[in-house]
Amino acid sequence: MSLYWRIFLLNAAVLVVAVLLLLGPVTVSTPVLFGEAIVLVVAVLLLLGPVTVSTPVLFGEAIVLVAGLGAMLVANAMLLRIGLAPLGRLSRAMATVDLLRPGNRPQVTGEGEIAELTATFNTMLDRLEAERATSSGRVLSALEGERQRIAQELHDEIGQTLTAVLLQLKHAADRVPEPVRGELHQAQETTRASLDEIRRIARRLRPGVLEELGLHSALRSLAAEFTTTRLSVSAHITPGLPPLDGATELVLYRVAQEGLTNAARHSGATRVEVHLRPVPGGGTGLLVRDDGRGLGAAPEGAGIRGMRERALLIGAELAVGAGPAGGTEVRLDVTADHHGGSRP
């Protein structure tokens, strides 16, 4: 039972027993119990009012007492509803809070304990969001470092090993009879395809083009990488955008990469557009829009949660939803204070 109904029923019981006491059938213990004392106080206050009660109670007086009881119960219910409304709003805010969507705070109204509790809850949310952003930053930094290490090992160890295998296969194919040579050529093609796949994975783990040529070239390269016979990806970059710091460029690149990955794997899209453009207030916005089936009622997966974690690191606003013509739209808006001395 909610707090509202517990208080209301307790008050209603006191009022009903007080009225019954006036009507006569209620007895009082000796010595008087604490609850009975409260009822007696209410009854005495009723007796001190302008309404007199006969002994025995007349029918008309009983009607007046019952009507007065009903009016008091209605007034009690309204006052409780008004008084406990801030507590209800705070309870709903607690139930719906999401640290990946910061900024939503219950409004502090009035004074007293409930207002103090709401303000304390807002302060706790501020601290939790700051700690979440700090811890997420450490985790994502460690993740990027591990990605670079794995990409380096794939390139240096496995890539070089497969290259050596290709050379050995070519050398063997030049010296064996014709029936065996065809099988060796097939093994060469399989090894070459595996080497290309490893290089592609290494590029995704460590975007070297982002470090060397900047975000604009990296987005164009990403669009070309995801373009296939089934999926067309185009990059549209507004000229004259101000430079961004390195951390912001990495977040934009990873969000675009995750958006394109989701579009290629899950949406059934045939066309995806990647836009990098200015937004009101002097910021920079990234938009990834596809013509697929959309999100529907599916819950957010690890990919979208990862994008929200990255957006929190730079204080950007991330929105994932349906596009104006269907499909899915991923929008990331970066404020102007993240522009600065990075790559041109």
Side-chain angles (χ1 to χ4, degrees):
M1 185 180 296
S2 66
L3 178 62
Y4 168 81
W5 283 109
R6 289 201 298 269
I7 297 176
F8 173 77
L9 291 178
L10 179 62
N11 293 343
V14 172
L15 293 174
V16 169
V17 174
V19 170
L20 292 177
L21 183 63
L22 289 176
L23 296 177
V26 176
T27 58
V28 180
S29 305
T30 304
V32 180
L33 302 177
F34 178 74
E36 294 174 341
I38 297 177
V39 172
L40 286 173
V41 171
V42 176
V44 170
L45 291 177
L46 290 174
L47 288 173
L48 293 178
V51 179
T52 58
V53 181
S54 304
T55 304
V57 179
L58 301 178
F59 178 73
E61 294 173 343
I63 293 177
V64 171
L65 286 175
V66 172
L69 174 63
M72 286 187 293
L73 290 177
V74 172
N76 180 45
M78 294 178 61
L79 291 175
L80 281 177
R81 182 68 68 185
I82 295 173
L84 294 178
L87 189 59
R89 290 195 296 270
L90 178 60
S91 177
R92 290 190 294 272
M94 289 179 175
T96 58
V97 67
D98 187 355
L99 295 180
L100 291 179
R101 294 178 174 87
N104 295 326
R105 298 286 185 274
Q107 184 179 2
V108 180
T109 56
E111 298 178 356
E113 291 82 359
I114 296 181
E116 183 178 352
L117 179 61
T118 305
T120 303
F121 176 69
N122 290 342
T123 303
M124 181 191 69
L125 277 185
D126 293 337
R127 185 175 66 252
L128 287 177
E129 288 178 359
E131 292 175 354
R132 176 68 178 266
T134 301
S135 61
S136 297
R138 296 194 188 101
V139 171
L140 291 176
S141 296
L143 179 61
E144 288 295 333
E146 187 67 12
R147 283 184 169 187
Q148 291 188 6
R149 186 188 65 81
I150 294 174
Q152 191 69 33
E153 290 186 359
L154 285 175
H155 182 272
D156 294 345
E157 301 295 334
I158 301 180
Q160 292 181 7
T161 300
L162 288 179
T163 301
V165 170
L166 275 176
L167 294 175
Q168 292 173 358
L169 287 173
K170 183 179 183 305
H171 181 74
D174 294 338
R175 296 173 177 271
V176 297
E178 184 63 32
V180 183
R181 187 177 303 172
E183 295 181 3
L184 289 178
H185 283 314
Q186 185 176 0
Q188 278 184 282
E189 294 302 321
T190 303
T191 306
R192 186 176 289 107
S194 300
L195 181 59
D196 292 339
E197 181 66 16
I198 287 175
R199 288 172 176 170
R200 184 185 63 82
I201 294 174
R203 285 196 302 270
R204 289 194 178 185
L205 289 173
R206 182 183 181 183
V209 65
L210 177 64
E211 299 175 356
E212 298 168 4
L213 302 178
L215 180 63
H216 298 183
S217 299
L219 290 180
R220 293 190 180 96
S221 176
L222 196 62
E225 181 181 343
F226 276 90
T227 298
T228 62
T229 56
R230 185 184 59 84
L231 182 64
S232 172
V233 182
S234 58
H236 307 273
I237 299 175
T238 302
L241 290 174
L244 298 165
D245 58 60
T248 304
E249 284 194 352
L250 182 59
V251 169
L252 288 167
Y253 179 84
R254 290 301 188 194
V255 169
Q257 186 181 48
E258 184 62 35
L260 289 174
T261 301
N262 290 338
R265 292 181 178 177
H266 310 298
S267 71
T270 59
R271 182 172 53 85
V272 184
E273 296 178 357
V274 180
H275 295 267
L276 190 67
R277 57 190 183 183
V279 294
T284 301
L286 173 72
L287 175 66
V288 181
R289 178 187 294 160
D290 64 57
D291 62 349
R293 66 177 65 96
L295 294 173
E300 292 188 355
I304 296 179
R305 290 196 298 270
M307 287 192 285
R308 295 194 184 281
E309 293 277 3
R310 292 184 182 278
L312 287 177
L313 294 180
I314 59 174
E317 296 182 6
L318 179 75
V320 181
T328 304
E329 183 176 276
V330 178
R331 187 187 301 271
L332 180 68
D333 293 337
V334 180
T335 56
D337 54 356
H338 288 280
H339 296 148
S342 168
R343 294 174 285 270

